[in-house]
Amino acid sequence: MGKRNAAVNNWLSDNRRFADLFNGAVFEGRQIIRAEELEDLDRETDIVISGKGGTSKGVQRYRDIVKRWRGGTDLAVLACESQARIHYAMPVRNMLYDSLAYTEQIRQIWKFHKNKRDKERAENRDNKITEEEYLSRFRKTDSIVPVLTLVFYYDLKQWDGAQDLYGMFGLNMQTEEGRILCKYIPNYRINLVDAGNISDLGMFHTDLQQILGVLKYRQDKKELKDYIYENRDYFAGVDVETYQALRAFLHSENMLKDFTVSGKEARIDMCQALEELYQDGVKEGREEGASMIILNMLKSGMSVSDIKKYTGVGESMIVQVQKSMGTLIHKS
């Protein structure tokens, strides 16, 4: 996991934001999942899959964020995969993650039965297990909880990858053969959240709303600046985790300063940080324009001293442009 995804995952893993993300994306803004009903789960899934011939193979995968949703009883396992880039095999990747999560549930249930049965045998009691249950490692009366995964995609480029398993197949599913195959091959669909193109931000009720708004305007510095100032009450004092996530969302890790301060009380004025970024862009534009003027003057045969006289720029900048065009011009 890269530094960018780490900052985003750290920010999204807050229970209030995580619940808000699922409530907005899945339940259309209704407050179904509550922060206090969420518990962190181990991100690592490490299981051994046994084959018919006695062979076994270890499978290990890491999820970005995974939580248990409890509402008196276990309701679901909620997972989020953050994507800073398009993953063209995402349906298969997520299908594997979800399958491993179900496999792990079955393993834990069977482990519970085994421990319980060992205890009952020691007490001369035996809760019989049928041959089918033993073969399945799952009792007829057992149940597992659903796994729901969101793909939180936040790159500038529009997602152009497949959003389901059928979309990865190299055949036309509308033909007669394709329609027949659809009856027997189950599809798997990813739940894509295109963070920069959400039409109704009102479905979100935490600061996720303000941050997703930033993503809508990130390609236009002026519109972004205006949006930040319109929401100054929030952006004038964001915490460090939010600021680091914003750097990742804006793809500005190298432009926005990296603050090493920590603690819940630390606050950063995003308005000021963005103003500095905006002014840097203006300065870069001016320097680029000046470079083009100097380049044209050099091509016309003007000397370094004459260019200094007419433009007022320093000799070092003229020499730099001179080197970039690969032409030697003698000073006069």
Side-chain angles (χ1 to χ4, degrees), residues 101-280:
Y102 288 126
T103 303
E104 176 63 12
Q105 286 187 54
I106 292 171
R107 189 181 74 85
Q108 291 295 336
I109 291 170
W110 188 250
K111 182 179 178 181
F112 169 80
H113 286 318
K114 184 177 183 302
N115 292 338
K116 182 180 178 182
R117 194 173 183 216
D118 289 344
K119 183 179 179 180
E120 289 173 345
R121 280 179 171 175
E123 297 173 350
N124 295 320
R125 295 184 294 115
D126 190 7
N127 186 7
K128 290 187 179 293
I129 295 177
T130 68
E131 290 184 9
E132 292 85 358
E133 289 174 332
Y134 186 82
L135 176 66
S136 307
R137 297 295 196 269
F138 194 72
R139 303 199 71 168
K140 183 180 178 180
T141 55
D142 288 336
S143 62
I144 55 178
V145 299
V147 178
L148 173 57
T149 301
L150 296 183
V151 177
F152 186 81
Y153 173 66
Y154 58 92
D155 194 15
L156 293 167
K157 183 180 178 182
Q158 185 175 1
W159 183 279
D160 59 0
Q163 296 190 37
D164 59 22
L165 189 61
Y166 286 180
M168 294 181 63
F169 292 156
L171 57 95
N172 185 355
M173 304 302 282
Q174 302 303 316
T175 63
E176 182 181 0
E177 295 86 352
R179 287 193 296 272
I180 293 173
L181 287 174
C182 285
K183 291 174 59 177
Y184 298 97
I185 300 176
N187 197 5
Y188 177 90
R189 177 178 57 85
I190 64 171
N191 301 302
L192 180 67
V193 179
D194 189 348
N197 293 288
I198 296 176
S199 57
D200 185 6
L201 296 179
M203 294 189 299
F204 303 96
H205 301 280
T206 65
D207 59 349
L208 194 61
Q209 182 182 120
Q210 284 83 5
I211 301 305
L212 292 176
V214 167
L215 269 62
K216 290 185 69 171
Y217 301 108
R218 59 187 167 176
Q219 297 193 68
D220 188 307
K221 286 184 178 179
K222 185 180 184 307
E223 287 190 356
L224 176 60
K225 180 183 173 185
D226 291 343
Y227 176 80
I228 294 289
Y229 274 87
E230 286 173 6
N231 294 271
R232 189 183 183 93
D233 288 346
Y234 172 75
F235 288 106
V238 299
D239 58 46
V240 177
E241 283 186 359
T242 300
Y243 179 77
Q244 298 294 2
L246 278 166
R247 293 176 74 226
F249 287 140
L250 296 173
H251 297 265
S252 299
E253 296 93 329
N254 298 325
M255 291 181 283
L256 288 173
K257 297 176 183 177
D258 187 7
F259 288 89
T260 56
V261 292
S262 59
K264 292 184 178 180
E265 301 302 320
R267 290 291 182 268
I268 299 168
D269 188 344
M270 189 65 193
C271 301
Q272 180 181 348
L274 202 68
E275 178 65 30
E276 292 175 1
L277 178 62
Y278 180 76
Q279 292 302 330
D280 286 345

Side-chain angles (χ1 to χ4, degrees), residues 26-128:
V26 178
F27 297 106
E28 299 180 338
R30 287 176 291 154
Q31 300 303 287
I32 304 298
I33 304 171
R34 303 191 181 281
E36 60 271 19
E37 297 173 343
L38 297 176
E39 297 178 5
D40 290 333
L41 290 177
D42 191 353
R43 293 174 46 245
E44 178 184 359
T45 300
D46 189 2
I47 64 174
V48 176
I49 300 176
S50 300
K52 288 186 176 180
T55 59
S56 61
K57 182 178 181 180
V59 180
Q60 184 182 55
R61 291 293 185 272
Y62 291 89
R63 308 215 72 166
D64 286 344
I65 314 171
V66 57
K67 295 178 185 285
R68 178 188 288 115
W69 176 26
R70 288 183 179 273
T73 59
D74 284 357
L75 295 178
V77 172
L78 306 179
C80 178
E81 298 298 323
S82 300
Q83 287 298 125
R85 292 287 184 268
I86 297 169
H87 194 303
Y88 289 111
M90 203 69 195
V92 170
R93 178 185 171 191
N94 268 19
M95 185 169 62
L96 174 61
Y97 285 166
D98 290 352
S99 297
L100 289 176
Y102 288 126
T103 303
E104 176 63 12
Q105 286 187 54
I106 292 171
R107 189 181 74 85
Q108 291 295 336
I109 291 170
W110 188 250
K111 182 179 178 181
F112 169 80
H113 286 318
K114 184 177 183 302
N115 292 338
K116 182 180 178 182
R117 194 173 183 216
D118 289 344
K119 183 179 179 180
E120 289 173 345
R121 280 179 171 175
E123 297 173 350
N124 295 320
R125 295 184 294 115
D126 190 7
N127 186 7
K128 290 187 179 293

